[in-house]
């Protein structure tokens, strides 16, 4: 059922699977509020402003808000600062710390606050609940609340009930789940080029209004999945859990390839050409990271347990990922002949290229293990040195690749930044104490490195 939407933004039949296309309707911008100016919130706010909506983004953290009001993005995400500044300059995007004032004239309120793992592994939705409680008696029934944060299955309905209880309007406040699928490092691109838009609500009218918000800016057809709140919530968890599983699969296979003297990159290519498998997420590395995969996997595991259901694959994927850090550490240790008193140069700290985010970064986990084993680590990341210093205060951060490499017994590539593909091996060899290189991202061509007299270890490339 991939029919384009009809001409009227709110009219026409809406099926459960449609394609969204712009240029068909005469549309005008809608006043929107985005609550939470983090990675998702800021991209959402700036992206919708670029579409022509008038957006006010509310941020609670005073230091972040001060930066945002000056047009400074407090973290690195490719192209985001430019997008924010451009839309602030033309008056489409503004920032505030006053939630009550911000929602007053907004037709749609997106909530993009964090939903981290709690101590028991289940989602801590305190920040979301705080926002809802502070809004509950101030909303009118023409406004729509959109949960863009990743929230446990059942949250949309729970929030609907909570609002019905606390709000005195005669009509209920509509709650829509519109989970976010952006990839950090490509978040701006992904906002304008989504693979799909998932909208879940028991209110058909509210769902159609959210489709309309996206339609204003989309330049190509995008599939829209219109569904119930719970299904939208589960789609988000299932997608992240599946991707984490796929990466976990190729990572464990890389270990086996190492032992069996098979090149995992050729295996991955041979597998990925099968359209049932696909080539994406088949790159072995030091383990997946970022703020989502782990916490979302833990939430599903918790949900299964609460329902007395054995979801075995989830824990296996988490365990396989942890094992990956040890594998990288053991490769370094083998080359240096032990880690105690060794000096390791780490290239990359962010959990992936294109971002300064170090949340659950495998680079951070590997470095912690190296330090625990008695090594000194000097690290360099083009964007994440500051964030990494907060995560590991004792870490020595360098201003350049070659400063990090001074007297190192081994250099390890931990993040796939493009500039690490252009290493000057002659200079490295002169700078380092021992010419060892572990490439946990398989970023380099082994023969090209070995030609310069360095010992090279990739992942599953024997
Ligand atoms: P984040 O921690 O970077 O941002 C959350 C922001 O909300 C913070 O700046 C925080 O100060 C602010 N905040 C908290 N309470 C507030 C309040 N009451 N009023 C105003 N601001 C408030 O988190 P994030 O990475 O942007 O993730 C947000 C949500 O999106 C999470 O549920 C996450 O799972 C989901 N998500 C994240 C990604 C990603 O790549 N980061 C991708 C898809 C979905």
């Amino acid at each position: 059922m991939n029919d384009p939407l009809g001409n009227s933004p709110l009219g026409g039949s809406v099926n459960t699977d449609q394609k969204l296309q712009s240029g068909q309707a005469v549309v005008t911008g809608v006043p929107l509020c985005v609550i939470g100016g983090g990675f998702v919130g800021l991209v959402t706010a700036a992206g919708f402003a670029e579409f022509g909506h008038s957006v006010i983004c509310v941020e609670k953290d005073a230091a972040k808000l001060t930066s945002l009001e000056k047009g400074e993005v407090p973290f690195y995400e490719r192209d985001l600062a430019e997008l924010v500044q451009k839309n602030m300059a033309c008056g489409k995007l503004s920032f505030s710390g006053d939630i009550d004032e911000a929602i007053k004239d907004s037709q749609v309120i997106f909530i993009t606050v964090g939903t981290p793992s709690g101590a028991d592994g289940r989602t801590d939705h305190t920040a979301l609940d705080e926002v809802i409680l502070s809004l509950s008696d101030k909303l009118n029934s023409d406004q729509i609340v959109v949960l863009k944060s990743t929230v446990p299955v059942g949250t949309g309905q729970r929030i609907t009930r909570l609002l019905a209880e606390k709000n005195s309007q005669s009509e209920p406040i509509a709650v829509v789940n519109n989970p976010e699928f952006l990839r950090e490092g490509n978040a701006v691109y992904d906002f304008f080029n989504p693979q799909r838009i998932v909208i879940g609500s028991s209110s058909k009218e509210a769902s159609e209004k959210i489709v309309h918000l996206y339609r204003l800016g989309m330049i190509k057809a995008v599939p829209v999945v219109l569904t119930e709140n719970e299904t939208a919530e589960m789609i988000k968890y299932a997608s992240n859990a599946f991707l984490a599983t796929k990466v976990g699969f190729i990572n464990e296979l890389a270990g086996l390839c190492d032992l069996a003297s098979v090149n995992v990159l050729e295996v991955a290519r041979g597998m990925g050409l099968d359209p049932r498998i696909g080539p994406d997420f088949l790159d072995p590395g030091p383990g997946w990271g970022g703020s989502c995969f782990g916490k979302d996997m833990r939430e599903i595991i918790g949900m299964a347990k609460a329902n007395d259901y054995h979801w075995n694959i989830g824990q296996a994927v988490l365990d396989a990922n942890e094992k990956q850090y040890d594998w990288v550490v053991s490769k370094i240790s083998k080359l240096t002949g032990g880690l105690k008193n060794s000096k390791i140069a780490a290239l990359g700290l962010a959990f992936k290229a294109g971002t300064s985010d170090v949340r659950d970064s495998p680079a951070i986990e590997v470095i912690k293990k190296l330090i625990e084993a008695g090594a000194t680590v000097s690290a360099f990341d083009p964007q994440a040195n500051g964030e990494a210093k907060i995560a590991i205060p004792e870490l020595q951060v360098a201003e350049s690749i070659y400063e990090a490499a001074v007297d190192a017994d081994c250099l390890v590539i931990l993040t796939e930044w493009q500039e690490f593909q252009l290493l000057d091996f002659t200079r490295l060899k002169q700078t380092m104490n021992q010419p060892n290189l572990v490439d946990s991202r398989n970023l380099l061509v082994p023969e090209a490195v070995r030609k310069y007299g360095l010992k090279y270890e990739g992942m599953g490339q024997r």
Side-chain angles (χ1 to χ4, degrees):
M1 289 198 291
N2 284 334
D3 303 320
L5 289 178
N7 275 339
S8 158
L10 304 181
S13 68
V14 177
N15 301 314
T16 51
D17 187 4
Q18 304 188 11
K19 284 217 169 166
L20 178 70
Q21 198 144 27
S22 77
Q24 298 175 332
V26 178
V27 282
T28 50
V30 174
L32 309 177
C33 174
V34 175
I35 301 177
F39 284 84
V40 169
L42 212 46
V43 173
T44 304
F48 277 129
E50 180 73 14
F51 280 3
H53 302 298
S54 128
V55 185
I56 180 157
C57 178
V58 182
E59 174 52 55
K60 177 177 159 177
D61 181 300
K64 267 191 194 175
L65 179 62
T66 306
S67 300
L68 292 170
E69 283 172 332
K70 286 190 274 184
E72 291 165 8
V73 175
F75 52 85
Y76 177 74
E77 175 63 43
R78 199 178 288 154
D79 300 332
L80 184 58
E82 294 80 353
L83 192 70
V84 166
Q85 285 152 15
K86 178 185 166 201
N87 283 284
M88 283 177 84
C90 67
K92 285 278 174 202
L93 175 63
S94 61
F95 295 94
S96 170
D98 185 343
I99 201 164
D100 295 354
E101 198 53 39
I103 62 160
K104 241 187 218 161
D105 299 319
S106 300
Q107 286 182 22
V108 182
I109 294 132
F110 283 88
I111 302 180
T112 58
V113 297
T115 49
S117 281
D120 62 352
R122 297 300 301 269
T123 301
D124 175 358
H125 41 76
T126 313
L128 169 70
D129 291 0
E130 273 175 17
V131 171
I132 294 295
L133 287 175
S134 77
L135 299 179
S136 57
D137 56 345
K138 297 174 189 96
L139 295 168
N140 66 62
S141 41
D142 291 331
Q143 292 176 306
I144 301 171
V145 171
V146 182
L147 306 180
K148 207 167 221 334
S149 299
T150 304
V151 292
V153 175
T155 303
Q157 286 301 335
R158 181 174 68 82
I159 301 294
T160 306
R161 287 194 299 274
L162 199 69
L163 289 176
E165 213 179 279
K166 305 267 177 199
N167 189 280
S168 55
Q169 299 272 314
S170 52
E171 292 294 314
I173 312 289
V175 177
V176 175
N177 286 88
N178 171 217
E180 181 53 62
F181 299 98
L182 61 77
R183 299 163 299 168
E184 279 185 31
N186 290 288
V188 171
Y189 175 87
D190 287 348
F191 185 87
F192 296 110
N193 300 276
Q195 302 295 331
R196 80 292 212 190
I197 293 167
V198 174
I199 293 174
S201 180
S202 48
S203 162
K204 186 178 169 204
E205 192 191 346
S207 295
E208 289 175 358
K209 283 186 180 166
I210 304 307
V211 172
H212 166 58
L213 294 184
Y214 282 100
R215 175 194 281 143
L216 185 57
M218 289 297 158
I219 50 168
K220 64 171 194 189
V222 178
V224 177
V225 179
L226 288 172
T227 182
E228 296 299 323
N229 297 86
E230 297 85 346
T231 311
E233 290 160 346
M234 188 61 109
I235 287 171
K236 174 64 194 173
Y237 281 108
S239 301
N240 272 357
F242 187 81
L243 291 173
T245 305
K246 197 171 177 192
V247 178
F249 177 91
I250 200 69
N251 278 343
E252 282 214 312
L253 193 80
L256 191 57
C257 284
D258 245 5
L259 296 171
S261 292
V262 173
N263 188 334
V264 73
L265 300 184
E266 286 175 32
V267 177
R269 179 160 186 268
M271 289 168 65
L273 287 168
D274 182 334
R276 293 171 302 176
I277 298 173
D280 294 341
F281 279 68
L282 284 183
D283 304 309
W288 42 255
S291 64
C292 294
F293 280 9
K295 86 169 167 70
D296 292 353
M297 194 64 106
R298 284 190 288 275
E299 168 59 27
I300 313 190
I301 292 169
M303 191 197 328
K305 268 195 193 138
N307 284 286
D308 243 344
Y309 182 75
H310 295 287
W311 197 62
N312 299 326
I313 201 165
Q315 194 56 50
V317 172
L318 289 180
D319 293 345
N321 206 52
E322 297 255 330
K323 201 171 79 182
Q324 212 63 13
Y325 314 144
D326 291 323
W327 192 32
V328 177
V329 171
S330 75
K331 278 178 180 284
I332 299 168
S333 180
K334 244 184 236 161
L335 285 178
T336 55
L339 290 168
K340 204 160 173 55
N341 301 324
S342 66
K343 185 181 170 205
I344 311 300
L347 298 190
L349 295 160
F351 85 92
K352 66 195 286 199
T355 177
S356 59
D357 197 348
V358 299
R359 291 178 290 182
D360 272 2
S361 170
I364 298 291
E365 298 306 320
V366 167
I367 290 170
K368 279 184 184 164
K369 283 178 183 284
L370 291 170
I371 293 173
E372 262 168 42
T376 306
V377 180
S378 174
F380 168 72
D381 187 288
Q383 297 294 341
N385 276 358
E387 279 83 346
K389 258 313 241 187
I390 298 168
I392 313 179
E394 68 269 39
L395 180 67
Q396 294 174 13
V397 290
E399 290 305 311
S400 73
I401 295 169
Y402 303 97
E403 188 190 317
V406 172
D407 293 335
D409 297 302
C410 183
L411 184 136
V412 55
I413 297 176
L414 292 168
T415 310
E416 72 282 21
W417 288 101
Q418 229 176 351
E419 64 190 272
F420 299 158
Q421 271 180 323
L422 305 168
L423 298 175
D424 179 342
F425 297 117
T426 308
R427 189 171 166 195
L428 277 179
K429 216 181 149 201
Q430 285 163 358
T431 308
M432 292 171 68
N433 186 38
Q434 295 186 62
N436 295 319
L437 197 156
V438 172
D439 179 5
S440 82
R441 298 283 183 169
N442 287 336
L443 207 60
L444 307 172
V445 178
E447 296 73 33
V449 182
R450 291 188 183 120
K451 213 170 68 186
Y452 288 87
L454 280 93
K455 283 190 195 154
Y456 175 92
E457 267 285 324
M459 305 291 275
Q461 286 202 70
R462 243 182 228 155

